[in-house]
Amino acid sequence: MKTRFALLIALCAIALGLSAQNTLEEIRQNKELAGGNMVVYPVPTEALTPAPKGYQPFYLSHYARHGSRYRISENDYTQPIETLKKAKEFGVLSAEGEKILGLLEKTYEAAKNRYGDLTKVGALQHRGIGHRMYEHFPEIFGKEIDVDARSTTVIRSILSKVNECMELQSLNGKLHFSNDASPHDMYYMNHSDPVLNQLLRTPEYSSAMRGSLKTTTTSDRLMKVLFTDQDYVNWVVDGSALMRQLIDIATSMQDIDYTPDFNLLDYFTAEECYDFFQSGNLYWYLAYGPAKETRGLMPYRMAPLLQNILDTAVDALASGKESATLRFGHDTIIMPLAALLELDKWGTPVSDLSQLAEVYPDYKLIPMASNIQIVFYKHRKTGDVLVKFLLNERECTIPVQTDMAPYYHWTDVEKFYRAKLANFEQVRAELVKEFPDAR
């Protein structure tokens, strides 16, 4: 018995060890995942669960992030170029450094004056999403229906909307689109709560950002690859900044239309990529996830959007006509909305931030073109309504009891979320007292 027990403990230890290395192993197999929110959209392959007998899709409501884009700032490209060019002028840039400099200059030319713009890669992502929505829900998109399509006023979001709607229109010319992108809708499409933002200025947040990560790598190895004179590096080069700038470029190459002669990520070890990923992942979780360090309240940034989703659904169902509401925006919306809806694990706080990368890897939640689809099904005879949630086109759970998962009774779902919103009103009122200067 003791031998069996010891063996069981040993097996559990091995299993836990393998689990703890899960994200690192995934990045080892695909270093592009270290890009976090820059990762290209993973096309789903899972089949969807057929609707219960008698029910068919009636209304679809969604919020989607824009597709792949160029990096937002020109400095993202020019800063590492300037550092390497200066070293070349002093004759201390290695042959590998010159090779990388050439790649950076070509990448910069490809992105010039397109900072933050949607790429062809991003356009195709939304074409694909639109196509699959049509295939999955022909009872909605195969009919002559009204589609309300709105986006934030950012051009990459507008063009993402255009591409998804054009794909749907090409599949069914009878669809009637109402397109809009106006500051009028930003109160829910791209909301920022000044009171909740105060939680990002607390000692708890600052402490978590400073002391939660245990990184094992430095820039020393890479600097020896790039430069021939280490005294020059010590005196002139900010190695950590240059390393981050180069990984930023390397992990975002997957999003652009330029195909380089070599993979810049090959110059980084998996451990270096993992440490880079951890830093960004921590920021996203604390600022937009259900972190206890920010009192679990950051998902409520999306309270106005959830209110809009619920109210719009009520109106759509009351109309008695099939329809769709499509919204296009940003990762800063998708992440807190997924947490507010409590989709799968994304609404659960992480107890130990040192395990954050394993429990809450953001590349699985907010890749480019990430999206949340809420599909409503009506019974043909009784009129009863069910609802199903898709995260990045994969079925997911919510913490509402159901006798037919992954489908939920709409009356239960609406009651659950409206109760959350009502409770937050009281919580926010207390926060206003705590942070009276918030505007």
Side-chain angles (χ1 to χ4, degrees):
M1 179 68 74
K2 289 183 178 179
T3 303
R4 279 188 192 173
F5 184 73
L7 179 59
L8 179 61
I9 294 296
L11 291 173
C12 288
I14 292 172
L16 287 172
L18 291 174
S19 175
Q21 295 301 313
N22 183 54
T23 300
L24 173 58
E25 289 305 316
E26 288 184 348
I27 289 176
R28 195 185 304 281
Q29 294 171 22
N30 178 11
K31 293 177 183 176
E32 289 183 341
L33 296 178
N37 67 318
M38 297 298 293
V39 169
V40 294
Y41 187 70
V43 177
T45 57
E46 298 91 336
L48 299 182
T49 304
K53 185 177 181 181
Y55 291 87
Q56 67 177 27
F58 183 82
Y59 169 64
L60 185 144
S61 177
H62 103 343
Y63 193 104
R65 182 193 182 191
H66 59 75
S68 287
R69 57 165 171 79
Y70 294 96
R71 297 199 65 82
I72 289 177
S73 172
E74 182 177 15
N75 289 336
D76 291 344
Y77 300 97
T78 57
Q79 286 179 343
I81 289 174
E82 290 170 0
T83 300
L84 297 184
K85 285 181 71 173
K86 185 175 181 180
K88 183 178 180 180
E89 292 171 1
F90 277 89
V92 295
L93 191 63
S94 70
E96 293 301 314
E98 291 201 30
K99 181 180 177 182
I100 291 174
L101 174 58
L103 171 63
L104 294 179
E105 290 175 331
K106 290 179 181 178
T107 304
Y108 174 49
E109 286 302 315
K112 204 165 189 179
N113 295 323
R114 288 191 171 276
Y115 315 115
D117 285 0
L118 190 74
T119 64
K120 292 180 181 177
V121 176
L124 288 174
Q125 288 163 355
H126 278 285
R127 289 273 184 170
I129 292 168
H131 195 98
R132 288 186 293 277
M133 284 199 311
Y134 177 86
E135 290 182 331
H136 290 153
F137 312 111
E139 298 89 347
I140 300 174
F141 294 103
K143 295 184 177 181
E144 184 174 355
I145 67 166
D146 292 329
V147 180
D148 183 14
R150 301 177 186 232
S151 73
T152 66
T153 54
V154 180
I155 189 64
R156 58 182 173 272
S157 298
I158 295 172
L159 291 178
S160 294
K161 176 186 67 172
V162 167
N163 276 278
E164 193 165 304
C165 291
M166 286 178 63
E167 183 67 22
L168 287 167
Q169 188 83 76
S170 72
L171 296 167
N172 180 8
K174 294 182 179 180
L175 295 174
H176 301 291
F177 288 91
S178 173
N179 278 283
D180 205 356
S182 169
H184 175 272
D185 295 321
M186 293 310 100
Y187 76 94
Y188 71 89
M189 287 289 292
N190 195 16
H191 182 64
S192 178
D193 190 317
V195 176
L196 288 179
N197 288 343
Q198 296 301 309
L199 297 177
L200 303 180
R201 299 176 175 88
T202 63
E204 292 82 2
Y205 173 81
S206 299
S207 176
M209 281 297 296
R210 284 196 310 268
S212 301
L213 298 182
K214 295 180 180 179
T215 56
T216 60
T217 61
T218 69
S219 62
D220 296 346
R221 184 202 62 80
L222 182 63
M223 296 304 105
K224 291 176 182 177
V225 173
L226 298 176
F227 303 99
T228 59
D229 186 336
Q230 292 309 299
D231 286 335
Y232 176 88
V233 173
N234 295 336
W235 284 98
V236 178
V237 179
D238 184 338
S240 296
L242 177 59
M243 184 175 185
R244 174 166 289 279
Q245 291 160 6
L246 291 176
I247 299 186
D248 275 336
I249 295 292
T251 54
S252 61
M253 293 295 293
Q254 59 190 298
D255 296 301
I256 67 175
D257 313 315
Y258 167 60
T259 303
D261 298 328
F262 63 94
N263 189 348
L264 184 55
L265 279 170
D266 289 342
Y267 283 86
F268 300 92
T269 68
E271 289 74 17
E272 289 167 346
C273 291
Y274 179 71
D275 282 350
F276 166 80
F277 162 75
Q278 285 194 85
S279 177
N281 193 58
L282 176 63
Y283 162 75
W284 277 99
Y285 173 72
L286 292 176
Y288 298 98
K292 63 180 185 297
E293 292 77 10
T294 43
R295 308 185 194 179
L297 294 176
M298 302 318 288
Y300 286 92
R301 288 169 176 249
M302 293 306 108
L305 176 57
L306 178 54
Q307 184 76 52
N308 176 265
I309 289 171
L310 296 174
D311 292 347
T312 305
V314 168
D315 291 342
L317 296 173
S319 74
K321 301 177 181 178
E322 290 85 353
S323 62
T325 304
L326 309 181
R327 308 171 186 83
F328 298 82
H330 308 274
D331 44 6
T332 53
I333 312 302
I334 291 288
M335 188 169 194
L337 179 60
L340 184 58
L341 292 172
E342 300 185 56
L343 304 182
D344 286 343
K345 65 180 181 182
W346 302 109
T348 304
V350 176
S351 59
D352 181 359
L353 287 181
S354 69
Q355 296 299 308
L356 178 65
E358 312 307 324
V359 180
Y360 216 99
D362 62 14
Y363 59 78
K364 293 185 177 180
L365 175 57
I366 50 170
M368 294 294 183
S370 50
N371 59 94
I372 295 171
Q373 299 179 27
I374 308 173
V375 190
F376 293 75
Y377 295 73
K378 182 179 288 188
H379 195 280
R380 286 189 290 268
K381 293 183 178 179
T382 68
D384 181 52
V385 177
L386 301 177
V387 63
K388 176 167 68 174
F389 292 78
L390 303 178
L391 175 60
N392 297 330
E393 301 179 78
R394 295 174 174 86
E395 293 172 344
C396 53
T397 62
I398 60 172
V400 173
Q401 287 189 343
T402 179
D403 54 356
M404 52 183 69
Y407 295 87
Y408 298 83
H409 295 279
W410 166 237
T411 52
D412 297 334
V413 171
E414 183 183 15
K415 180 180 179 181
F416 175 73
Y417 288 130
R418 291 203 187 274
K420 288 192 71 170
L421 292 176
N423 181 67
F424 175 62
E425 287 185 12
Q426 300 176 24
V427 173
R428 192 179 186 280
E430 293 301 315
L431 286 176
V432 170
K433 297 177 183 177
E434 182 178 353
F435 304 111
D437 294 333
R439 294 289 186 268

